[in-house]
Amino acid sequence: MTAEPMTMPALSAPFPGAVPEPVDETPPANPGRPREEQGQEETFESFAHGLLEATRAESWVHEARRLGTGLGLAALFGGALGLRVGGVAIGSHALGVAAGLTAVAAVASPAFAIVLALVNAPISGFTLARATSGAVARAGLILGGLAPAAALYVVTVEDAITVSVVGFASLALAGAIGVSSFATDLRTPLAAASRDTRRWMTVAMPAFVLFAAVLALRVWWLALPVLTGAR
Amino acid sequence: MKSFEGSVFDVTLMSRILRAPADVAADCRDDRDASAMARNALIAIVVGSLLFGAAVGSWHGGAQTFFAAGKLPIVMLATLVVCAPAFYAVSAVFHRPWSARSVLSLMLVSGARFSLVLLAATPPLWLLINLGASYDLSKLAASFAYGLAGLAALTLLVRGLGDGPGKRSMIALMMAIFLLVGAQTSWMLRPYLGTPGVQHVVLFTREREGGLVYQLWKSVEHVVDPARPGDRP
């Protein structure tokens, strides 16, 4: 049971003859929000909030932590896929799923940085790194969340095709969410770019997304034999 | 609104879950009285699905009634446990980074609403079976009740999401995850009705039966055309 709040604004009408309750006269810090919500807003931060929200200050350590956490959560999903075979496959599939995201972050993203410089886009290396770590964190969080459901399916279904569909659908969903996050994070700085740069970006961004998708798919195809029927 | 002092089960809360899902969802989101809400929701989930399971198992009767009554609450709770991390992750990615407590209480009260609707569907289902409904009709009636209960739970979940970006995508995604996990969990622990033509009762079957969707489709075919040759004994 939670404690009764100090003030009870208009939740229940007082009965006749009732002594009015003392009212807290101190002005609220944020008049647009109910008083009881404000304290929670200031003090509370969930794990997901800390992972997904970028800090205002430039902190490479924070971004590296987000990247590492995202990869770790993605590895949980890989481990769940490996449960179909068991043993070493749990570890190898965990590494395999993380490898797909790592390939995009370590290969595709730096290549995209060169393209951004070529078209003179006003995006710093840190902004790109932050967008990349945010995308990996979101994709990893989704994959980590889906890991128990994936484990349920890979362990209990009889046919291999269901495992492939569930596995690739989950990876595709996480990839789409990651790409969406990446594009959203870069949209604001790109809005300040020149018209020529923006025109180039209408080609460069879809090309990057396509390249990243094919790269991740190729890595997962090679590293996740449970999904491709090789096992 | 208050519950009766010292009572184990808060009937007022159940009434609020049915009548004012938006208010209850808001309480879950804001983490108000979460432990009491979770306790009452768990009781509702177990009792509602247990009685519904007993009604389903009464088609065969005997030990099957108790087996089905025991398995349905496990299906419900297992589905919630498996879906909880997915719900937490999906809500966070779609700009709702709530605490795990808020997500869990929202899921539990949705599960309670689901079970309360199952509880309401239990007497009609039992009567249908008692009047001699066929295996296929009983199975479809139970599935229909499950579908109605799912819609009722979804209503609460949708209210709980509040307004904000990505709401429709999130609802579609969560529905897909709940359906897939719920279907697989219930399929794993079959049978609930029993097997037509088979007198002995088994707790679990490991027959290759083609999956849940295939079996529901076969039942529709049998109800529409009872003379159709089937692939069951």
Side-chain angles (χ1 to χ4, degrees):
Chain A
M1 297 287 284
T2 53
E4 289 287 320
M6 290 296 289
T7 55
M8 293 288 286
L11 274 179
S12 56
F15 54 87
V19 179
E21 291 186 8
V23 177
D24 188 355
E25 297 289 351
T26 52
N30 181 356
R33 309 280 297 172
R35 186 183 300 274
E36 59 267 27
E37 287 180 15
Q38 291 177 28
Q40 292 175 8
E41 236 176 48
E42 285 162 7
T43 56
F44 165 74
E45 185 182 86
S46 69
F47 165 76
H49 188 264
L51 178 66
L52 300 183
E53 296 304 313
T55 53
R56 286 175 191 276
E58 287 194 7
S59 168
W60 285 95
V61 174
H62 178 70
E63 298 310 323
R65 197 180 296 136
R66 288 211 300 165
L67 186 74
T69 309
L71 292 176
L73 288 168
L76 283 179
F77 180 81
L81 293 180
L83 286 173
R84 188 162 178 88
V85 180
V88 180
I90 297 172
S92 65
H93 281 75
L95 289 176
V97 170
L101 295 179
T102 307
V104 173
V107 178
S109 202
F112 190 53
I114 295 170
V115 174
L116 289 174
L118 274 177
V119 300
N120 201 23
I123 294 174
S124 67
F126 181 79
T127 306
L128 187 65
R130 178 144 68 185
T132 305
S133 65
V136 170
R138 279 180 167 77
L141 187 61
I142 283 289
L143 289 173
L146 289 173
L152 174 78
Y153 263 85
V154 300
V155 171
T156 59
V157 297
E158 293 157 1
D159 53 321
I161 186 72
T162 306
V163 175
S164 300
V165 170
V166 167
F168 276 121
S170 303
L171 291 170
L173 173 70
I177 284 170
V179 162
S180 168
S181 159
F182 185 82
T184 305
D185 284 353
L186 294 188
R187 192 172 296 146
T188 308
L190 279 176
S194 66
R195 182 182 290 183
D196 280 349
T197 301
R198 289 206 304 271
R199 197 179 298 145
W200 277 113
M201 286 309 295
T202 58
V203 178
M205 184 63 94
F208 166 76
V209 169
L210 181 67
F211 171 58
V214 173
L215 177 67
L217 188 63
R218 181 62 181 154
V219 172
W220 286 330
W221 191 268
L222 293 172
L224 305 174
V226 158
L227 297 187
T228 56
R231 266 194 183 143
Chain B
M1 285 191 273
K2 300 265 184 190
S3 62
F4 296 107
E5 277 302 318
S7 62
V8 179
F9 188 62
D10 188 349
V11 180
T12 315
L13 176 62
M14 294 304 119
S15 174
R16 283 184 66 214
I17 286 174
L18 291 171
R19 289 171 184 274
D23 290 353
V24 177
D27 284 353
C28 293
R29 244 183 6 236
D30 300 339
D31 200 357
R32 276 187 228 130
D33 215 4
S35 58
M37 222 181 296
R39 185 179 64 244
N40 284 285
L42 276 171
I43 293 171
I45 288 169
V46 170
V47 171
S49 49
L50 186 143
L51 292 175
F52 185 79
V56 169
S58 72
W59 183 83
H60 191 286
Q64 187 63 42
T65 307
F66 296 99
F67 286 167
K71 284 191 281 188
L72 254 286
I74 296 173
V75 168
M76 277 291 300
L77 293 173
T79 302
L80 290 175
V81 166
V82 172
C83 287
F87 188 30
Y88 177 78
V90 169
S91 56
V93 166
F94 285 96
H95 312 286
R96 291 166 181 83
W98 298 323
S99 69
R101 271 169 70 93
S102 300
V103 169
L104 284 176
S105 46
L106 194 54
M107 286 189 72
L108 282 172
V109 293
S110 299
R113 200 163 202 252
F114 184 95
S115 284
L116 289 170
V117 175
L118 282 189
L119 191 63
T122 299
L125 180 69
W126 173 80
L127 184 62
L128 189 72
I129 290 171
N130 191 254
L131 289 172
S134 68
Y135 172 82
D136 293 305
L137 185 60
S138 304
K139 193 160 76 176
L140 288 177
S143 303
F144 181 69
Y146 239 74
L148 279 182
L151 277 178
L154 184 69
T155 313
L156 195 149
L157 211 55
V158 168
R159 305 268 170 90
L161 298 181
D163 293 324
K167 188 176 176 181
R168 285 185 184 172
S169 307
M170 194 177 161
I171 291 167
L173 206 53
M174 285 315 302
M175 270 179 68
I177 293 169
F178 272 114
L179 278 175
L180 285 171
V181 171
Q184 186 61 19
T185 313
S186 54
W187 184 248
M188 274 164 52
L189 299 181
R190 72 191 189 282
Y192 303 96
L193 281 163
T195 313
V198 177
Q199 285 304 311
H200 70 276
V201 173
V202 290
L203 184 57
F204 302 113
T205 182
R206 285 292 171 262
E207 301 284 324
R208 285 178 172 266
E209 293 174 327
L212 180 71
V213 176
Y214 174 78
Q215 285 298 321
L216 284 176
W217 176 245
K218 295 300 290 181
S219 285
V220 170
E221 285 183 340
H222 279 275
V223 168
V224 172
D225 181 10
R228 189 184 182 90
D231 55 359
R232 68 169 67 102

